[in-house]
Amino acid sequence: MKASISSTILVGLLLCPVLLLLQLAPLNVNAADADPLRDFCVADLTKDLYLNGYPCKKPAAVTTDDFVFYGLTAPPQTNNSVGASAVFGFVHNFPGLNSLGISIARLDFAKGGLIPPHTHPRGSEIIYVVEGSLYAGFVTTDNKLFAKVINKGDVMIFPIGLIHFQLNVGDAPAQAVVSLNSQSAGFQLIANSMFGSNIKDEVLQKTFVLDQKTVHWLKAIFS
């Protein structure tokens, strides 16, 4: 009996340091899209299913056109309130991306145009400046700004989920192409999320130190 108790105590003493190390060890989290399990899985957009992703077309129904996207050929309209626009090649309009963990977008800017502060909750972004000069940057979770002017041929990255922006600071229209490491990275504009989502006035007044009249004015703009 005494030997059994001694053995239990010894095992406990040996396990304690191991459990402590496991508790303190950093956890590796994979936040990217899952790896594909076959050569391709072209999205079948006709199926009325609610899934994390899309079901696959039958291989016999897949064509070359499923892997080609024509949406970037025509420039977006920039005669809007921000002077800029984006066309995204996400899985919902580019079915060949399904399960591959990538997507693409074209950004066009009028002189002074802005892609306002926004996030991609499910993907990191890399931007390539095709024409012009952009003041681009992102803000970390501890509110540190990383920003600079990038010019034709330059490339910059924006880590997943962080607020970022691009402003045309050149004397002419600008253009950029971006790629993201998700088939559906999401696109969430900060101002629209705050003032266009019917959040209670009191929340916005206290958050942004605004009076109710200003909150109502901003809601009318972004809703």
Side-chain angles (χ1 to χ4, degrees), residues 113-127:
L114 170 72
I115 299 292
H118 63 281
T119 71
H120 303 292
R122 297 178 294 276
S124 296
E125 173 183 331
I126 186 167
I127 184 171

Side-chain angles (χ1 to χ4, degrees), residues 2-218:
K2 289 182 180 180
S4 175
I5 294 173
S6 298
S7 298
T8 301
I9 293 173
L10 180 60
V11 170
L13 290 173
L14 290 172
L15 283 176
C16 279
V18 175
L19 293 173
L20 182 61
L21 286 173
L22 288 174
Q23 189 172 11
L24 295 176
L27 295 177
N28 292 322
V29 179
N30 183 4
D33 291 357
D35 290 334
L37 300 177
R38 59 192 76 196
D39 288 345
F40 55 79
C41 172
V42 173
D44 188 342
L45 304 179
T46 65
K47 291 287 192 296
D48 187 20
L49 297 173
Y50 191 74
L51 301 171
N52 186 23
Y54 290 91
C56 305
K57 273 187 178 182
K58 291 183 178 180
V62 174
T63 70
T64 302
D65 278 343
D66 287 318
F67 303 101
V68 180
F69 182 59
Y70 303 98
L72 305 188
T73 56
Q77 297 298 314
T78 58
N79 57 342
N80 51 48
S81 60
V82 294
S85 192
V87 172
F88 290 98
F90 282 173
V91 67
H92 68 273
N93 58 358
F94 190 1
L97 295 178
N98 195 40
S99 82
L100 299 183
I102 54 173
S103 56
I104 193 168
R106 170 178 171 165
L107 311 181
D108 284 83
F109 303 79
K111 184 178 177 181
L114 170 72
I115 299 292
H118 63 281
T119 71
H120 303 292
R122 297 178 294 276
S124 296
E125 173 183 331
I126 186 167
I127 184 171
Y128 170 77
V129 182
V130 178
E131 291 289 346
S133 298
L134 301 174
Y135 174 65
F138 62 90
V139 180
T140 66
T141 53
D142 57 357
N143 296 322
K144 183 175 181 180
L145 174 67
F146 290 86
K148 70 175 301 179
V149 174
I150 52 176
N151 301 295
K152 181 178 179 178
D154 291 342
V155 173
M156 186 174 184
I157 57 173
F158 308 106
I160 184 172
L162 296 185
I163 296 172
H164 59 284
F165 57 85
Q166 298 96 16
L167 171 69
N168 182 7
V169 293
D171 296 324
Q175 184 187 115
V177 173
V178 306
S179 182
L180 303 106
N181 68 332
S182 171
Q183 66 182 35
S184 182
F187 180 72
Q188 186 173 29
L189 289 162
I190 304 306
N192 297 62
S193 296
M194 292 291 96
F195 295 99
S197 58
N198 204 30
I199 295 175
K200 284 184 176 293
D201 291 354
E202 184 179 1
V203 174
L204 299 172
Q205 287 176 247
K206 290 183 175 180
T207 300
F208 297 103
V209 196
L210 299 172
D211 58 51
Q212 190 174 46
K213 182 178 179 180
T214 303
V215 167
H216 287 177
W217 175 68
L218 290 168

